[in-house]
Structure formats: C-alpha cells, structure tokens
Amino acid sequence: MGAEPETERLKEIGSRLARSSLSLTRYIATAGPGLTVALFLLILHYFPPPFVGSISNLVFDTYQRAYPRPYEDAGVRVVDIDDESIRRLGQWPWPRTDVVRLTDALTDAGAAAIAFDIVFSEPDRTSPARAVELLRQNPEARGDYAEIAAMTDHDELLGQAMGRGPTVTGYFLTEEANTARPAEHAGVAVSGTPPLGVLREYNGAIVSMPVIGNRASGAGSVSLDAGRDDIIRAVPLIANLDGQIVPSLSLEALRVAQGAGAVLVRSSDGSGEFGGGPVTTVLAVKTGDLQVPTTDVGELWMHYTAPHPERIVPAWRILQGDLPEAEMRRLFEGQIVFIGTGAIGLRDIRSTPTQAGELGVVIHAQAAEQMIVGKFLSRPDWAPGAERMLMVVLCLLIALSAPALGALRGGVLAILALGGVLGGSWFAFRNSGLLLEPIFPALGVVSVYIAITAVSFYREERARSHIHNAFDRYLSPELVDRIARDPGQLELGGEVRQMTVLFSDVRGFSRISERFGPQELIRFLINLLTPMTDVLLARKATIDKYIGDAVLAFWNAPLDDPEHERNAAYAALEMLETLKRLNTDSAGDPAWPGQVAIGIGLNTGPCCVGNMGSRQRLSYSLIGDTVNLASRLESLTKAYSVNILIGEDLAARLSDFALLELDLIRVVGRDAPERIFALMGPPEMSPDPAFVETGARMAAILEAYRSRDWGGTEAALETLRATGTLPGLEGVAAVYATRVADFRLNPPSDDWDGISQALEK
C-alpha cells in the first residue's frame, strides 16, 4: 500500500517531463526555420552581393531627398560661365584677358580664395604673338605687326593675375601615364603611415600651363569619381598621383583661404589611434583650423542642400560691370569663390542624390561649405558590426518570440522591429549625420517572421482556437492568452516581478451595511465597483479580487506594462474623480448612501505573482511585502484623512506628480520605516502656486517636527491651516498637533529619530 503513492508520484513526474520535452521540441521545430534564415543572412552580411550596396545607396539617397542639408551662408560663392555669359561675351574658350578681368575683379572685391574648376592646359589662341602669325598668313596683310607681336602674352597676363590674387588652379587626374604634374604650393603631410594603398591611384594629370599654374597660390584636383550608377555621393579630398598625395580643389581652396601651410592627413595608425586594421586607412584631413572626418579612402560623404540660386553669380554680371563696387564686396569679400562652366556644350553635369543634373563646380562648392560649417555625414567604423549585431538580435528576437506570440502579435512585433530599424536609421541620419544601413536588419526581421509564420500558422492557430473555446468563459482574456501560448502555466507556481499594487476600501462601510439590507447592499456595491473597475481596466490593471467593498488590483502582470507606476497613479486619481461624479449623480437615490468616500493605498516593488492555491483550484494572484505595505497604506488613509497614500519607492518613480511627504512611519508587521506621501494630483498640478505653497508649508512642519522644535511645528501647522492651502490636509494637521501636545507632556527619548509607529493594521 505504501508504495502506491510513491509510484503515482513518479508517474506524475514522468508525465510532466514528457509534456515539457514535447513542448520544447515543438518550440524548437517552430523557431528552427527562423534561426536558419538568420544564419543565412549573417553569412550574407559578411559577403554581401553587389545589389545590397545599391539598395543601401538608394536608402541614403532617399534620406537626402527627404532632408537635404539646410543651407547656411558659409562664405562660398560660385561664378558660373553660363549660357547668357557665352551669349554676351562670345564662345568659349574666352581670351585669357577676360579671365584676367574676372580674376582681378574678384581679387579687388576681397575674395578669400578664387578656385578654378577650369584647366588652362593649352596656350591662348588669341595671344598677340599667335594672332600676328594668323595675320601674317593673310594674303592681304600689309605689315609685320611687330608692335603687336611684342605685346605681353595673354597666358603671361593670366599668370600675373593669378599671382596678384589668392587663386587655386584645377587639374584633372588620369590613369594614363604622363609626366605632367601640378605645381606644389604647400604639400601634404601625413600623421602616420601614408595611406597610399587605399587612395584612388592615378598615373598622370592634365594641368594648367606652368606660366599660369606656378603663380597661383594653390592647385587642386577637380576629378570627381561617380559610382556604378554615376551618382556622386562622396567627393575625394585627396588622391594618389604616382605615389604622391595630392589635394582636391575644395580642400586646397580652404587652405588658401585660411593662409594655411601643408594639408595634414591623419592615418589610422597615426599617433594616438588604436585598433587600425592591417591596411592603413584615412581618418581625417586637416587644413588650417578645419579638421574633416573622411571615409577610409579619404572621401567626404556629401550632404547636399536643395538648389540655392543665391549661391551662384553669372560671370557676365561681373565682366560687364553689372555689379557696382559695393555689391561686389557684399557678394565676394571674404568669400571662397569657385569658377566653373555651366553653359550648354560646356557643362560639367553630374548626378547627385538630390539632383539629376548638378554642376560639377557646385559640388566642389558644397564640399567646401560642408567642411566650413562642420555638418558631416559619416559611416563610422563600428557601423557594420553594430548592424550585424542588431540583425542577429532582431532575428533571434523574432525567431524565439514569434512561436510563442502567434501570427498576429508576432507580426506586430515584426512591424515594430522593422519600424524601429528604419526609424532608428532615419533618426541617426537626421540628427547625427550617421549612415547606418537598415537593409540587413530589416531584411532579417521580415524574412525570419515570414519563415516562422509559414511553418507555425496552421498548428499554432488550431491549438489556440481549441484552448480559447475551452476557457474563454471561465478565465480573463489575458490569462487565456497566456495559457494558449503555454499550457504549462496551468501548473502551480509564480514568478517575481516588479509590480504596482492598489488597495481601495470604502470608508465607514460597516455603517452603510447597517443601513441597507443584503439586496440593497449588493446593488450599491455593483453601482460603485463597476465604474471603478472600468477605470482600473482602462489603465491596464489586473483585478485580483473584490473583498466586500475592497478592491485589490495590480499592474505589470500577467502582461508587461513599462508604465505601471504611472498607470496606477492615474487610475487612483481617476477613481476619486469617478466617485465624485457618482456622489453627485446619485444624490437622493435611496440605493446610494449619501456622500461615499474611499481610501486608496499604492505601493510598488517586487511581488511573487502567478497561479496560487491548491491542486484542485488555482487563483492568479500575488503575495509579498509590497502587497502588505499597500494594504497598510490604505488603512493609514483613515488616520491622516487623505484619499491616496503611496510608499516612498513609488513616490520616487512619480516625481513629476503632485506629491506631499506626510510622515516617516513604521507600520504594523514591518521593522523598516517607510516614508509616506499623499498623492494630491497629476503632473499638471505640480507647478500650481497653491500646491507649491502647500508643499513648502508641509515641508516646514516636517523639518520642525523632526528637529524637536515643538513651537516651530505649531507655528508651521498654523501656517498650513491658513488661507491658500490646498484642502485635504486637515487630518494631517490634527495628527501632528496631537503628537506635539503629547511630546510636550512626555518628551521623546534622546535617540528618537522622528519615526512614528502605526498602532493599527
């Protein structure tokens, strides 16, 4: 006989283990496809196919169109040799004397730098000596034109003009080898190992004639490298010309404008830098006071502005004197001026993320603007690792959560995750200029969810439907959902969670019970508790139980509620407002016992919550010191004659609500004292002058009382009772008045610490 119970117990244990093993097997079978997809995407992230980069570019292009860089006048202008300039001044190339006049006009206007997105690589055909040669070839020529031939060459005149102003000539870089090299005006210094291996390598150049280029203040590359789709998203600031680092036109213009020395390139293995890879890359370039972060290959990620006509001045307006001297100084004094050709047939037209056809000279100008205002886009070196980690985390989250959540809520989770990825990427771009790629994390969320849903939909939905049909009429919807997700929760046991607990009780319910018969009393409780329950449920509470006129409710179980403290506080305040309305609407109703009052105790802290009771009957409830203290606080509302009392842990989490500290008290059944607060109103009440004044008066009472200053306490109590104090603290004042009177007769011991002792539960 004695062996039978032991045998039965072993059978029960075996049955539970079998059910647990079966549940785990089903869970793994459902999550498995999602985990497989996650692994595949992880491998794909390490070896991305070309189309992934194209999609990423499209995403970042969309960001730029949605939020172009706000235009700021950074002291950069563009002089455009446009169609009207060609119509007025003749076909291009113009005589160098026109370029001289343009250069001198800008120099005289006080330009800080004049950068040419033009290469003067061939002699001017209109120079006097060359013109004389043409004249002499004319059969009708009647002279040797010696005086004309002796005139200064136009290229020399332009060289002189270059020397008079802060000019920067441009040059093209080519992959075809030649011996032409731009003039060296300041050079490039490197902090660390020269990063030649990562820079675009060129073997030749097309440069301005030495008579022009050697007299300028600087020289920079005008070459712009577009991607496979011919869209310029980044501008190279430095390049590798046959083993020598050379600057771009925009970078050199900034150097000349500042009167700076050499351009400084900071390499990944430079002083103070750690964690560089086996290949030396570029971290930043510096010229004068400006330090510019770059990509690994020395490029500046461009963040283009919307078209801004005020940035551009047509060349004809300068050359034909359309602009008076004062206007010239207003436009160009202290400015970095880029000169380029925008006329039809001459156009250096490039595609950007924001414009299908943008002038190349404007791209150089915008690069200079970005470097001046310090508004950079960057793709930090930690971005790929962070994106990979985010993808893995989200894939695991969806793969491990979706089987338990079901198709609908799993879909909501996937949508939220997808929205978070896209929103986070956009937020990083919009607020910090970070280029964080959302493609793989977003693809992971969608792919894993689809894979899991396809496998689990039929089996999980069928099981959930069966459980709902069996239990919907007996348990709350939240518990039914939890049981549907995990039938093992029907077992006894609980979990420890951070929760907020509410106790509510009707004041003077015994007297009400004496007045009403059983049926009337039940009707009164229904009329009272129904709207109170509506308030609690609307604020995401779980109703634990009704104990006659009392209500026990809690938050953050069975469902997570990150705002459980605030929801509980709002619920308590709304219960008082609801009761006020019920008292008004039910005036004169024989089923309503006059002015009904309630007391509410709120507390937050760890609780054990779960299915409790016996094996025959379960009850989803909670236990713990947090619950006991909430009950004691509700009881104390009678002693202090306030409506809502809360504990100090909850008060710390509701710092913006209208709270008043009332006492430091040791409740029955607890050794540790508790600082208690009255919840007077929502956050909107906190700045109210009457509340602020009341808080100051209450603080004065506590300070005097805890300092044993009985006279000061009595004076502060009189102030509290004065006009302008919020109603509802009369009982508190009476409590302290009684204590002070008692202490005058029976002073506290020397070790008294201001803690009061509650005498009742």
Side-chain angles (χ1 to χ4, degrees), residues 77-80 308-314 358-359 362:
R77 292 283 183 272
V78 171
V79 172
D80 182 19
H308 196 76
E310 290 80 0
R311 181 192 280 130
I312 301 175
V313 179
E358 181 65 276
L359 298 180
V362 172

Side-chain angles (χ1 to χ4, degrees), residues 84-101:
E84 184 63 16
S85 299
I86 296 295
R87 187 185 70 78
R88 289 172 178 258
L89 298 169
Q91 70 181 27
W92 184 265
W94 289 341
R96 297 276 158 83
T97 50
D98 287 342
V99 183
V100 169
R101 290 193 298 121

Side-chain angles (χ1 to χ4, degrees), residues 167-325:
T167 55
V168 180
T169 57
Y171 54 87
F172 292 106
L173 296 172
T174 69
E175 294 182 352
E176 296 180 3
N178 63 25
T179 58
R181 293 294 180 268
E184 291 188 30
H185 297 280
V188 176
V190 180
S191 174
T193 304
L196 295 173
V198 297
L199 300 180
R200 176 74 181 271
E201 186 175 358
Y202 298 91
N203 299 311
I206 301 174
V207 302
S208 294
M209 299 171 59
V211 69
I212 298 172
N214 290 353
R215 297 181 182 181
S217 301
S221 166
V222 299
S223 298
L224 297 173
D225 298 323
R228 292 187 302 173
D229 53 3
D230 292 328
I231 296 177
I232 295 184
R233 299 180 177 88
V235 170
L237 298 184
I238 52 177
N240 176 2
L241 175 56
D242 202 18
Q244 180 181 2
I245 298 177
V246 294
S248 69
L249 183 69
S250 56
L251 186 63
E252 187 73 347
L254 288 176
R255 184 192 66 78
V256 170
Q258 297 178 89
V263 170
L264 177 64
V265 177
R266 207 151 61 104
S267 299
S268 57
D269 64 351
S271 176
E273 298 297 333
F274 300 97
V279 178
T280 302
T281 60
V282 185
L283 290 179
V285 297
K286 187 176 187 297
T287 178
D289 296 329
L290 298 177
Q291 179 161 297
V292 183
T294 68
T295 66
D296 289 346
V297 296
E299 294 180 331
L300 171 68
W301 280 102
M302 293 297 295
H303 191 184
Y304 294 97
T305 67
H308 196 76
E310 290 80 0
R311 181 192 280 130
I312 301 175
V313 179
W316 67 266
R317 297 192 66 192
I318 301 172
L319 291 173
Q320 291 194 338
D322 184 66
L323 299 173
E325 182 180 350

Side-chain angles (χ1 to χ4, degrees), residues 204-554:
I206 301 174
V207 302
S208 294
M209 299 171 59
V211 69
I212 298 172
N214 290 353
R215 297 181 182 181
S217 301
S221 166
V222 299
S223 298
L224 297 173
D225 298 323
R228 292 187 302 173
D229 53 3
D230 292 328
I231 296 177
I232 295 184
R233 299 180 177 88
V235 170
L237 298 184
I238 52 177
N240 176 2
L241 175 56
D242 202 18
Q244 180 181 2
I245 298 177
V246 294
S248 69
L249 183 69
S250 56
L251 186 63
E252 187 73 347
L254 288 176
R255 184 192 66 78
V256 170
Q258 297 178 89
V263 170
L264 177 64
V265 177
R266 207 151 61 104
S267 299
S268 57
D269 64 351
S271 176
E273 298 297 333
F274 300 97
V279 178
T280 302
T281 60
V282 185
L283 290 179
V285 297
K286 187 176 187 297
T287 178
D289 296 329
L290 298 177
Q291 179 161 297
V292 183
T294 68
T295 66
D296 289 346
V297 296
E299 294 180 331
L300 171 68
W301 280 102
M302 293 297 295
H303 191 184
Y304 294 97
T305 67
H308 196 76
E310 290 80 0
R311 181 192 280 130
I312 301 175
V313 179
W316 67 266
R317 297 192 66 192
I318 301 172
L319 291 173
Q320 291 194 338
D322 184 66
L323 299 173
E325 182 180 350
E327 181 66 6
M328 285 288 291
R329 287 205 167 270
R330 186 189 72 80
L331 287 173
F332 300 114
E333 187 172 22
Q335 306 283 304
I336 299 175
V337 183
F338 289 86
I339 301 175
T341 56
I344 295 176
L346 307 178
R347 286 191 174 186
D348 177 21
I349 301 297
R350 314 304 291 264
S351 294
T352 70
T354 58
Q355 296 290 316
E358 181 65 276
L359 298 180
V361 66
V362 172
I363 295 176
H364 291 299
Q366 292 214 39
E369 285 178 355
Q370 272 188 250
M371 289 187 277
I372 292 172
V373 300
K375 300 293 180 63
F376 302 114
L377 296 180
S378 65
R379 180 159 172 78
D381 53 6
W382 50 260
E387 292 157 1
R388 190 175 301 129
M389 180 63 68
L390 179 61
M391 181 192 70
V392 170
V393 169
L394 290 178
C395 285
L396 290 176
L397 175 65
I398 301 299
L400 299 177
S401 300
L405 292 175
L408 180 59
R409 282 182 293 180
V412 171
L413 177 62
I415 291 173
L416 291 176
L418 182 62
V421 168
L422 298 177
S425 174
W426 164 251
F427 182 85
F429 174 86
R430 174 68 173 77
N431 293 277
S432 303
L434 296 179
L435 300 175
L436 301 182
E437 184 181 278
I439 301 304
F440 269 96
L443 184 63
V445 169
V446 174
S447 301
V448 170
Y449 173 73
I450 291 176
I452 290 177
T453 303
V455 171
S456 66
F457 182 78
Y458 176 76
R459 182 176 63 249
E460 292 300 321
E461 290 305 310
R462 183 177 180 184
R464 286 168 59 84
S465 176
H466 173 74
I467 291 174
H468 273 283
N469 290 336
F471 292 102
D472 265 343
R473 290 175 290 177
Y474 304 101
L475 300 176
S476 67
E478 292 86 354
L479 288 178
V480 173
D481 285 339
R482 291 189 62 163
I483 293 169
R485 293 194 298 268
D486 183 8
Q489 292 194 30
L490 286 173
E491 299 294 333
L492 288 173
E495 58 178 329
V496 176
R497 304 186 66 154
Q498 187 75 14
M499 301 177 65
T500 301
V501 183
L502 177 146
F503 266 97
S504 171
D505 194 20
V506 176
R507 301 268 179 82
F509 185 69
S510 297
R511 292 193 301 274
I512 296 174
S513 300
E514 291 177 358
R515 291 176 50 189
F516 286 165
Q519 295 300 326
E520 294 173 317
L521 189 61
I522 291 174
R523 190 158 54 249
F524 160 66
L525 288 176
I526 291 174
N527 292 338
L528 173 67
L529 296 179
T530 298
M532 295 298 177
T533 300
D534 290 339
V535 169
L536 291 168
L537 293 179
R539 286 291 176 180
K540 302 182 180 179
T542 297
I543 308 298
D544 185 301
K545 59 177 68 72
Y546 303 100
I547 311 168
D549 60 310
V551 179
L552 170 58
F554 54 81

Side-chain angles (χ1 to χ4, degrees), residues 684-697 724-726:
E684 294 78 16
M685 183 178 177
S686 294
D688 183 84
F691 174 76
V692 174
E693 178 63 24
T694 300
R697 295 177 182 182
T725 300
L726 291 176

Side-chain angles (χ1 to χ4, degrees), residues 566-694:
R566 303 181 70 83
N567 281 330
Y570 278 119
L573 293 170
E574 290 166 10
M575 288 172 71
L576 295 182
E577 290 299 318
T578 300
L579 182 60
K580 186 185 300 183
R581 177 178 54 79
L582 289 173
N583 280 328
T584 300
D585 295 346
S586 303
D589 186 348
W592 190 264
Q595 289 296 309
V596 177
I598 61 173
I600 298 174
L602 285 175
N603 192 32
T604 193
C607 299
C608 182
V609 61
N611 294 308
M612 302 178 189
S614 67
R615 299 194 186 280
Q616 292 85 359
R617 183 176 180 84
L618 301 178
S619 174
Y620 190 79
S621 185
L622 76 170
I623 57 174
D625 180 64
T626 300
V627 185
N628 297 333
L629 182 55
S631 176
R632 301 294 185 268
L633 291 173
E634 185 278 319
S635 297
L636 288 173
T637 59
K638 304 170 188 175
Y640 293 92
S641 298
V642 294
N643 297 115
I644 306 172
L645 280 180
I646 69 174
E648 57 184 306
D649 286 345
L650 181 55
R653 291 168 170 79
L654 301 175
S655 57
D656 57 331
F657 279 73
L659 303 176
L660 291 178
E661 182 181 349
L662 299 188
D663 206 352
L664 182 61
I665 191 166
R666 185 176 287 110
V667 301
V668 175
R670 289 181 98 237
D671 293 329
E674 182 77 13
R675 203 174 299 272
I676 62 173
F677 296 78
L679 175 58
M680 306 298 290
E684 294 78 16
M685 183 178 177
S686 294
D688 183 84
F691 174 76
V692 174
E693 178 63 24
T694 300

